[in-house]
Amino acid sequence: MAETDGSTQLFGGVANVRAKAQNIHDTPRFYDGEENGVDDRVTADNMDEARQSNMAYEYLCHLEEAKNWIEACIEEDLGPTLDIEEALRNGVILAKLGHYFAPEVVPEKRIYDSDLERFNLRGLHFKHTDNINYWMRAMASIGLPQIFFPTTPDLYDKKNMPKVIYCIHALSIWLSKLGKAPNIENLLGIAEFTEEDITEMRRALEDYGISIPAFNKIGGILEKEIGVDEAGKHAAVIVINEILQKEDPEVTLKALQNKKAYLNYIEINNSVRYHEILFLAKLDKTETALEEGKTSEESDIYEFYLTHTEIQDIIDDINEIVRKEIAESKFRAAIAEINRCALGDCAQTLLAALQVTASRLKNVNDLNFDLYLEFLKAAKQSKEVGNLNVDEIQEVLELANEEMRKRRDLEGALRILHENFLASNIDGTFEALHHAAFKLPTLHKNAAPKYQATLFFELAKLQDKAQKEGMEDYESIRLTHAQIQNCIAAVNNQLKEVRRFAEAIANINGCLVQDDPQETLGALHVQAASIKDVLERCADDYHVWIKEGISVKKQEAEQADGDSSWIEMRSPDNQIFFYNPESKDLVWVKPEGASDVSHYMAQDEIQWIVSRVTAKRLRDEWFDENVDKVVRLQSIARMSLARKRYRDRLKFLHENEEAALRIQCLWRGYLVRKELQERKDYLNKNMKHIIRIQAWVRGYQIRKNYLQLTQDKPSVQVLYKFLYLLDQSAVDHAEEAELRKHKASIVKEIRHNQQLEKEINEMDIKIGLLVKNRLTLQDVVTASKKLKKAKGGEMVPKNRGLKELSKESREMLESYQHLFYLLQTNPKYLAKLLFTMPQNNCTKFMESVVLTIYNYGTNSREECLLLRLFENALKEEVQRKVDKVQDISTGSPTVIKIVVGYYRGTQGNQNSLKSLLGPLIEQVMEDSDLNMNIHPLEVYKAWISKTEMETGEPSKLPYDVTPEQALKHKEVTDEIENTIKKLVKIIKSFQEKIIGTVDQMPYGIRYMAMCLRKNLKEKFPDSSEEEILKAVGNLLYYRYMNPVITAPDSFEVIDLAAGSNMNNVQRRNLGSIAKILQHAASFKIFDSDARYLASLNSFIKTAYIKFMEFFDAASTITDIDEHFNMDEFSDVTMLNKPMIFISPNEISSTHQLLLDHQKQVTDSDDDPMNEVLAALGPVPEDEAMLGDKSTEFGLVLTNKWELNMSDESNIQALFSKTKYLIVDLLKIQRGETFTAILHSAANTQQQELYKAIHSRRLAAENEKSSEEEKNSKMALFDPNDTTIEKLKEHILKNLQILEQHKLVTPTEDYQEILTSIAKDICNQRKYRQRRKQDLKKIGETVERMNKKKKYYSEAVTYYQEYVQSCVSNLSKGGKTKKGDRRKTAKYSAQKLYEKGVLVEIEKVPVSSFKAVTIEFSTTDEVGTFEVSGKLSGFNIDKINVVFENLLQLQYEGVSTLKFEDSGVVVNVNLLIFLLNKKFYGVE
């Protein structure tokens, strides 16, 4: 019976034992509050919160376990536990861990940013993901199951850090089982964390939004993944069961730790409990089996013994029990420690006890420790017996936190209040006073300014008092809560007084309405109004004057703009406020919209009237009594006062002259500021318009400057404005470096591939020579047999022309390969040749030879090259033969005719025309009732015929008339108009189809349209865009599409049944459609000669505009290299070389044409074509050299010239570098001209600026990844240019070189290079786009190069094996005697001399040749012969002769061969014949 079966049957018994173990060893979880401080009243919310906290605590324990284990492995300190997740994100720690257990997978030098310098400076970089990948490869290399692996975003983007920690735990267990790392600790219940740590981790886990992995199931999952030794595991479990009888926990622990037992989480400290519980479990299981009547002999052993699963479950339960015991013990100790510290005086000690994780307390704040001590001490003292329990402590903490919160709220409210009223923020002050912490009475919004002023004044008094008392930090004094309450109360009381005062004044104004002087007098006597000097006898005067004043006020108020219901008043304590008698509102700040003039009289105005009236009455009364005295006194007083005022004023002005001047300045400043503020208000009011004006001005300036930049000769001053556009970002530098790196690697690969190709060519020749030698040998043998029969005859070898395996034929073949490769890839030669040769032969040569050279464009490469030829030929024709734009339409350009014929004739392009126009043409043809006859005479005759057929009587109208006469008949004109309407409808469908399918047109025809447009613009710059587009339309529609519409059967656009043809009506209908479309495309309207078609003119105008847009869109297309994905590396990355199929006759005729027109075709004496033609020489007259001229053969095209990627080989590299240096100089130093800048001295500030730039550049150069980049000749940065003077010397030196090459002119201020810089600025965006395209294309090129390299390497290996096979097959032709392993042949030197094989032997006369014996013998190396000799008993030095080398010498035309060591000279051909006969022939 299996182990699992036994465990299933006895699972209940083991569960009982676990319960017993729980009762024996576990302690109660809840205790009486008096004894241990724990209350058993737990709510559901508390339980959920406790569960979440427990989950966060367990995860923190797993973090601590992972951190300690990694530290033990890599021997580095990883910092705090809460920071470990962030520290793992860069992968450095994990890569080091991978190096620890798999150094061959993760070399230490491959760890990116191992010192964390880059990470500490700039944070995470995408290259840090390489470290993560190395770690995962290391884990995969040791076989860790993939289910544990996190993804890169889980770690790098911190999306699932628990999965990462889970993987580290699984890795630790896996490595421990493999013996490569220590065991990971189990810190659950042992590790301690603060409440803040647990709370922070809870929030982090909530942010992850995922469930925590089951860490306790890692062992089980690994066991399933590991190939477990079941036999060893079974034996280990049996041993554990038997050892339990010995009652020795240490022996039991060793058995449990046995690796073959596959038990996890064995804790040494729990060994005694393991032994006891396992013993009880086994005993219980045995008793259960015996009770069921089972015997050990008949039953499975696991009916009585514990299974592996049961043992592991018991171990896990014991570990959990111990963990809980430890946690409870710590909890009781923590509560006791808190009670002890509460009776002490050290708040810090109490705080430390409260923050212990085991105390299970929440919301412990470090800042409240003093209150905690105060409150807990009071609570402890109030409880007479026992300690405070955890709920009581928590309640005290909450009370202390609440009290502290209130204090902090008050402090915060005071701070906010002071910040606002010190900053004169009235609204902020009023809002701050509403804070609940102040507990203020009702606050009045209209008194906010008064609150502000009162608080400020009160604080100023306190600070002034403190300053007088000598307090140094008097400015830090702030108002207390009580002082603020007093201030607010005082303001509220004052507000009541002011309101009573305002209401009294309003009452005075209101009494005047009733026109009762006594009531007015009563209102003036109200004490709250504070009106003084009121006399009862003046009541009538008061009433009249005040009423008059109110009348004046009303008139002023009506003229004023604003609300005149507000009264500006001044309170008795001289406080200004505003009161609205209608709404009873009172405010301290002038209301928005309030007028400066009110129809109410203020208190001061009423007081002034009362005082004046009273004074006048008293004065009049006194004057009446003392008139004479008054008059005398007035005169004396006035004189005295006038003199005094003058003296005082004069003295005052002299004493305060500076103050007077200052007042004048302040007043003038006020006026200026007022004017400025008014200007600002005006600008703010019109901000949108101002922004638009500024944008227009700036745009105008930028456009103006940019136009100057694009001029023929932009100045240095213009360049200054745009130099910043040339600044290169880090991305630019990185892309440039990558581009240079790829190009360098491509050149290396190209040269390597060229070397492989050269080896393959050599092997080709060797194989050919070996095969030729074998064939020749067979021919000789066959001929010799025939000679024996016929006694005569001569064998004539067949000639294979260029394919003949001889050096001369081979060289000629290679030269023709170079010639036609040059013709194919350099279209300028054929383009010039087409217009140099006689024109009657041009078309024939184009169709027979030129299209053959390009294989009729059968693939993208040849189509691209053919388009290049058409482009160059069209340019030549436009330059030579087109005198005006209209010549394209009126003439018959050769190239356009060939292009249209080619693209209309090839099958793929026929299908394009068929899909484009076929459906519409077929629709017209299928309509049998359609008749597009619009000629007046034909319509007239058809009308007469129809009338005669309908009436059966001859028509009375004349049959022969003129068109004008025919059009006089309404029936004719109506028929024509109806036909025109149908025609227009059909033509519109044709035009919409043509215009709507511009992208379906063949790329080649659109590209030629673009080239035609470009060439015409270059030659005729003054021509309008409309004229040029008409010429383009002549190509696209008239020549390309129009014939197809007119005669679709000729171009296979429609499918006709066998034997059927188009009828005349169909042709006429299509012809009418094509005619009107052509008129619309060329804007040819119908004049008076065809006035019956004048109604079509409006349609033609509309259609013409659409055609112009179509021609513009069709002639705007992507570059040819981008379309065909061609670049300078395309040919060198092809697996198979290009091949054309051409006859020798076409080769010789092309060769002769090039020789006849060599001067016209080539540009200079060093033109590559001259070199190729010189190598070919004259056209071979011997037909044997070319072979059968009428038979085509495949000619493989090869490039004679290697790809030249040397940067310094081209002077343009120096030109670019000089531009770079000049830009650096212009950024630092300025001047009127560039020459003046070069010869002027730089100041100190400019020198310092350049040094800073130079230092940054030097640092950037030192950071380059390879020495090759640092030493690159194309590097634009020169470390030696340490000063501006050296920079200028460098520039001048380069300019001298460029001047020698006539690229710059010093007399024109080096305008050429300045213009080039301007173009670089304009094209900077295009450069970046082009660079990105180059990077993409060059990546594809690298991939193709690698494929080609692999192909060549395999070919070389195959050829080498084939050569060895050929040589071995040759050796099989000879015969040898039985038992002989080597074949030999002996001759005397005399006999070899007579045969002609031996020519001479140095220092040996011919007469002595008889005494010389020469022996030829094979060697162990196939194809190698050993030649030895003897002269009068003395041995001659042995010579090794390689048969392949002899064939090579024969191929190269070498007649004799001298062996330098022995001085022997032999005839190569006869020696080959001899070796063939003796060793490879037939005896």
Side-chain angles (χ1 to χ4, degrees), residues 232-254:
K233 176 180 174 183
H234 172 74
V237 170
I238 297 300
V239 170
I240 293 171
N241 278 274
E242 293 174 351
I243 286 176
L244 291 175
Q245 304 296 334
K246 297 182 180 180
E247 299 183 359
D248 188 346
E250 292 184 0
V251 177
T252 304
L253 178 63
K254 290 182 180 179

Side-chain angles (χ1 to χ4, degrees), residues 887-1028:
D887 289 349
I888 298 296
S889 302
T890 58
S892 180
T894 304
V895 176
I896 290 180
K897 184 168 62 175
I898 294 171
V899 167
V900 170
Y902 171 75
Y903 280 101
R904 205 165 50 202
T906 56
Q907 186 63 33
N909 296 307
Q910 278 184 357
N911 293 335
S912 174
L913 286 171
K914 186 174 182 179
S915 63
L916 178 65
L917 300 172
L920 292 174
I921 293 174
E922 289 178 353
Q923 185 178 353
V924 172
M925 293 177 61
E926 290 172 358
D927 191 350
S928 58
D929 297 330
L930 186 64
N931 189 349
M932 293 297 174
N933 189 2
I934 55 178
H935 195 277
L937 292 179
E938 294 181 5
V939 173
Y940 175 77
K941 292 176 181 179
W943 170 55
I944 291 177
S945 299
K946 181 180 179 182
T947 303
E948 290 177 346
M949 291 179 64
E950 290 176 351
T951 61
E953 297 179 359
S955 176
K956 298 179 181 180
L957 296 173
Y959 193 77
D960 295 324
V961 295
T962 62
E964 290 77 10
Q965 293 173 340
L967 289 171
K968 291 180 180 179
H969 298 276
K970 186 177 183 300
E971 291 80 0
V972 175
T973 56
D974 290 345
E975 180 66 23
I976 292 176
E977 287 298 325
N978 291 333
T979 304
I980 287 175
K981 290 180 181 178
K982 294 179 182 178
L983 183 61
V984 169
K985 183 178 180 181
I986 295 173
I987 291 173
K988 282 184 178 179
S989 63
F990 270 81
Q991 187 185 32
E992 289 173 0
K993 183 67 174 178
I994 292 171
I995 293 174
T997 55
V998 62
D999 294 331
Q1000 297 178 14
M1001 292 180 63
Y1003 174 83
I1005 199 72
R1006 291 183 64 189
Y1007 182 74
M1008 293 310 299
M1010 183 177 72
C1011 294
L1012 176 62
R1013 183 178 179 181
K1014 176 182 176 184
N1015 292 329
L1016 291 176
K1017 280 185 179 180
E1018 291 177 354
K1019 186 167 184 179
F1020 307 104
D1022 297 331
S1023 298
S1024 65
E1025 185 71 15
E1026 184 179 359
E1027 288 180 316
I1028 294 175

Side-chain angles (χ1 to χ4, degrees), residues 127 193 294 769 1081 1204 1230 1329:
K127 281 195 173 182
F193 301 97
K294 297 177 181 178
L769 292 173
N1204 187 6
R1230 299 200 170 194
Q1329 292 177 345

